[in-house]
Amino acid sequence: MLIVKKFGGSSVANKERIFRVAERCIEEYKKGNDVVVVLSAMGDTTDELLAKAADINPNAPKRELDMLLTTGEQVSVSLMAMAMHALGVSAVSLNAYQVMMHSTSRYGNARFKRIDSERIRHELDSRKIVIVTGFQGVNKYDDYTTLGRGGSDTTAVALAAALRADACEIYTDVDGVYTADPRVVKNARKLKEITYDEMLELATSGAKVLHNRSVEMAKKYGVQLVVRSSLNLEEGTTVKEVAKMEKMLISGVAGDKNTARISVLGVSDQPGVAFKIFHTLAKNNINVDIILQSVGREGTKDISFTVSQEDLKPALAILEEYQEPMTIREIKWEDTVAKISIVGAGMMSNPGVAAKLFESLYNNGININMISTSEIRITVLIDEKEIDKAMQAVHDGFGLGDV
Ligand code: ADP
Ligand code: ASP
Ligand code: MG
């Protein structure tokens, strides 16, 4: 069997944990399996590198940021190979350039295009454990790129797909995918299984246990994922096409504080205005999430929408630059908002799910600012200060917790 095992930053945060991971991988290897290990940077390394960069230059070129960030993963993979050698097993660490993991050119948010498998195959054939840097790619300029925060999960899935691995295991600091972030909702329950679609919605809505692109890619290539703890032997959660869910209306709740709301007021109420605004934002790579348009009055209307906090400043700069041609009278914004989402395939065939969500929030005095829905998700925008209370309230409202 060929097994891809990915370990997150906290799982390789110190010497003891590195050896624990090394031993776990060696155990698999000694059963006669081929083992490919994907690692994130140790502990908070990526945050520390970002802070260092901001200290030198808050507007650092994105290319240089990626050059810096990719060093974090290079440290963890080389140390892991050394640990395995210390335990008497032959291992080799490889970065994205050595494997050749081709990505799109966009620094800070690249996507994989193609992955060469020869080097890894060659190393596996000589019975080495292969340890690959997560989170990084190489673009057409031969520069390093990164895949966005949490992107090591995507490296693991991409390698599992390219190598046609028999298993792809994501080891982290919780026992699996829960009905809500177990650090926020204490009685959250671990799911045995979850579908790709539900997991994708949860990940996109802020459940950072898996990078959303990793789930997208797993679905596309049919890579079944297992999410489990690097600290114990508990069974974990399987992410796959069809899940035998217990009869549940919704499978999880997610919160996301990384959001900001922008309102453009008094724009003229005629065809083409919304197009102009959102086309210009999209052209500048700004992802717009929830959109709300007011009823027109006296020839004008207001449009509100949300963006991620990183995109707030650039979005405002664009709107200010084009304020006149976009017919915007006034621009307002706030960054103390948060999104709470419920996800579940069950809501497709059950009316009343939205009402129950609103009731749970209302019972806890939480005001709703904006609402958006997909087939299997409902998201509402609330005050950031209330997000933890809201998560618990909604989780309880739907009876998701352990009894
Ligand atoms: P890693 O470093 O292993 O990639 P992350 O910090 O990226 O780990 O993701 C794991 C974290 O995701 C957990 O510690 C947990 O707080 C958080 N999390 C958020 N939502 C969920 C959820 N629904 N189930 C499990 N963990 C979740
Ligand atoms: N080290 C990177 C980050 O912190 C990638 C990852 O952890 O998946 O975002
Ligand atoms: Mg992660």
Side-chain angles (χ1 to χ4, degrees):
M1 290 228 297
L2 195 165
I3 301 171
V4 175
K5 290 174 171 294
K6 179 261 172 179
F7 295 85
S10 50
S11 305
V12 291
N14 54 41
K15 175 177 167 185
E16 184 212 328
R17 288 191 179 185
I18 287 179
F19 272 102
R20 194 191 302 214
V21 167
E23 278 162 7
R24 208 163 172 160
C25 296
I26 287 171
E27 208 177 295
E28 199 82 75
Y29 167 88
K30 289 204 166 149
K31 289 183 202 157
N33 295 316
D34 286 334
V35 180
V36 175
V37 184
V38 174
L39 299 182
S40 296
M42 292 169 69
D44 296 326
T45 302
T46 307
D47 288 325
E48 287 157 16
L49 290 172
L50 281 170
K52 271 190 186 134
D55 188 34
I56 298 273
N57 178 356
N59 294 312
K62 291 209 158 135
R63 178 195 180 276
E64 302 308 330
L65 275 176
D66 280 1
M67 189 69 184
L68 179 69
L69 291 187
T70 50
T71 62
E73 271 67 16
Q74 207 158 311
V75 170
S76 52
V77 293
S78 48
L79 291 177
M80 182 61 69
M82 293 177 205
M84 290 180 181
H85 279 276
L87 295 170
V89 170
S90 177
V92 60
S93 64
L94 299 172
N95 66 17
Y97 207 98
Q98 292 167 313
V99 174
M100 231 356 157
M101 305 192 71
H102 303 271
S103 80
T104 55
S105 23
R106 192 150 157 223
Y107 302 104
N109 198 15
R111 282 173 177 263
F112 283 126
K113 283 167 56 177
R114 186 165 52 84
I115 288 161
D116 297 348
S117 53
E118 296 88 78
R119 176 73 190 266
I120 294 182
R121 290 252 180 240
H122 172 76
E123 302 290 358
L124 290 174
D125 286 346
S126 54
R127 277 307 279 158
K128 286 190 180 124
I129 295 181
V130 179
I131 310 159
V132 182
T133 48
F135 182 51
Q136 55 184 250
V138 177
N139 70 13
K140 64 181 176 200
Y141 309 112
D142 279 351
D143 282 340
Y144 283 111
T145 56
T146 61
L147 309 176
R149 297 304 305 268
S152 296
D153 301 328
T154 301
T155 306
V157 176
L159 283 173
L163 297 165
R164 295 188 178 78
D166 299 287
C168 184
E169 302 165 349
I170 309 288
Y171 290 84
T172 183
D173 55 3
V174 287
D175 293 355
V177 179
Y178 282 71
T179 48
D181 186 339
R183 294 184 202 285
V184 178
V185 176
K186 292 293 171 223
N187 62 339
R189 200 162 44 84
K190 188 173 77 182
L191 298 166
K192 246 180 126 52
E193 299 182 344
I194 187 168
T195 62
Y196 292 126
D197 290 335
E198 287 171 304
M199 190 63 235
L200 181 58
E201 293 276 15
L202 277 179
T204 307
S205 306
K208 69 166 182 168
V209 62
L210 284 176
H211 192 226
N212 60 353
R213 296 252 188 83
S214 73
V215 185
E216 204 173 78
M217 191 175 281
K219 179 179 161 77
K220 184 168 170 192
Y221 294 99
V223 176
Q224 193 163 305
L225 301 178
V226 174
V227 180
R228 57 189 299 194
S229 172
S230 64
L231 306 167
N232 62 45
L233 298 173
E234 294 287 320
E235 214 169 275
T237 304
T238 306
V239 187
K240 55 198 229 185
E241 188 63 46
V242 184
K244 282 201 261 29
M245 297 294 294
E246 311 103 87
K247 279 256 169 301
M248 277 199 324
L249 204 52
I250 71 169
S251 46
V253 181
D256 186 2
K257 294 187 196 167
N258 179 16
T259 189
R261 173 168 61 169
I262 300 178
S263 300
V264 292
L265 307 180
V267 297
S268 78
D269 190 12
Q270 47 171 291
V273 171
F275 166 71
K276 212 174 273 169
I277 293 171
F278 294 112
H279 175 70
T280 312
L281 291 170
K283 234 178 34 196
N284 287 277
N285 284 322
I286 289 170
N287 249 327
V288 170
D289 191 19
I290 312 175
I291 302 177
L292 189 74
Q293 180 176 305
S294 73
V295 179
R297 65 186 133 62
E298 291 162 14
T300 68
K301 62 190 173 192
D302 305 332
I303 302 176
S304 298
F305 55 91
T306 60
V307 295
S308 69
Q309 298 210 338
E310 302 86 73
D311 280 349
L312 176 62
K313 252 199 192 154
L316 289 172
I318 290 159
L319 293 170
E320 276 157 22
E321 185 181 345
Y322 294 98
Q323 189 161 357
E324 252 191 60
M326 288 175 177
T327 73
I328 300 169
R329 179 167 48 78
E330 191 185 351
I331 303 166
K332 281 190 173 169
W333 59 270
E334 58 194 308
D335 61 0
T336 53
V337 287
K339 285 185 290 193
I340 176 163
S341 305
I342 56 171
V343 171
M347 71 173 70
M348 265 192 287
S349 49
N350 279 283
V353 174
K356 203 178 185 73
L357 167 66
F358 303 152
E359 182 188 16
S360 309
L361 295 171
Y362 164 67
N363 284 341
N364 285 271
I366 297 162
N367 193 38
I368 298 172
N369 290 315
M370 287 168 107
I371 303 166
S372 92
T373 62
S374 82
E375 241 184 349
I376 60 165
R377 173 186 52 78
I378 306 172
T379 301
V380 298
L381 195 73
I382 61 172
D383 190 327
E384 188 181 82
K385 285 200 297 292
E386 310 211 277
I387 187 71
D388 289 0
K389 184 169 95 177
M391 294 266 288
Q392 186 72 55
V394 171
H395 197 265
D396 289 345
F398 281 93
L400 292 180
D402 274 326
V403 276

